Amino acid sequence: MKSKTLLVSLVGWLLALIWILPFVGVFMTAIRPLDELLKGWWNFSTFRPTLNNFVGAWNHPTASLSKGMLNSLMVAVPATFLPLFLATMAGYGLSRYRFKLRTPLLALIVVALALPQQTIAVPIFQMMNALNLVDTYLGLIIVHTAWGIPWITFFMRNFFTTIPKSMEEAARIDGASDITIFFKIAFPLAMPAVSSAFALQFTWVWSDFFLALILIYSPDKLLATQRIPLMRGVYHVDWGLLSSAAIMVMVVPISVYLLLQRYYIKGMIGWSLK
């Protein structure tokens, strides 16, 4: 038994090392000057760490990451809270109420989850163009909201099915309305799932490049993920600059996950404990 446990631990550590090795390479490229990287980032015959690449990416003359991250926040925050609020109510309704179109609606949500973004890129652009919402943050927020509602609805519906109805029924006997029951009882109990959905939706919106590439093109409106490729030179690629920019963009969703980690884990395994 001990030998088996040791073997499993060794395999786990090996897989973790393989998984984290590319990030170590990116991090070393970001904090070391170019002349030290010519023989490989794993060569430590000389090691003079510096933050010049981070400063250069943050204050880049044509693709400033400081402006890009502010733009990304202007999209990611509303595009996370809005679908989360709407889909949480929808998930609660699908878990508690029985109505004629409930099953077809659930089937439609599952189909929407399997729909690749690339297949509807042209209709999305045409629709936003017809509404004069191309190159606006509002148009991108609407698209991300519409994209997030199906999966969050399905996610929250599954979580609400694990919550006993007894407390809600007692509150209803005492005269509480459906809205009161949702906000005073169901929603607080669902905070682990809400936190999980928040972390996932925020990460996906913040990390999005495809939808932003379709809808946003003004230089001053470009999001953080759109600005990183613009830091490539025409005749020279500064990998240290690109690596530092990628790390700074990545830090934001990682920070959100770490802050919500406890709730995230509870929300992800909640319905498995039913």
Side-chain angles (χ1 to χ4, degrees), residues 102-148:
R102 178 174 176 272
T103 300
L105 184 58
L106 284 172
L108 181 62
I109 290 174
V110 173
V111 171
L113 293 176
L115 190 65
Q117 293 179 344
Q118 292 79 0
T119 60
I120 58 173
V122 174
I124 286 177
F125 179 83
Q126 292 175 338
M127 187 181 303
M128 292 296 106
N129 188 46
L131 296 173
N132 294 321
L133 292 177
V134 173
D135 199 31
T136 66
Y137 293 145
L138 178 60
L140 187 58
I141 290 170
I142 291 174
V143 173
H144 277 303
T145 299
W147 203 264

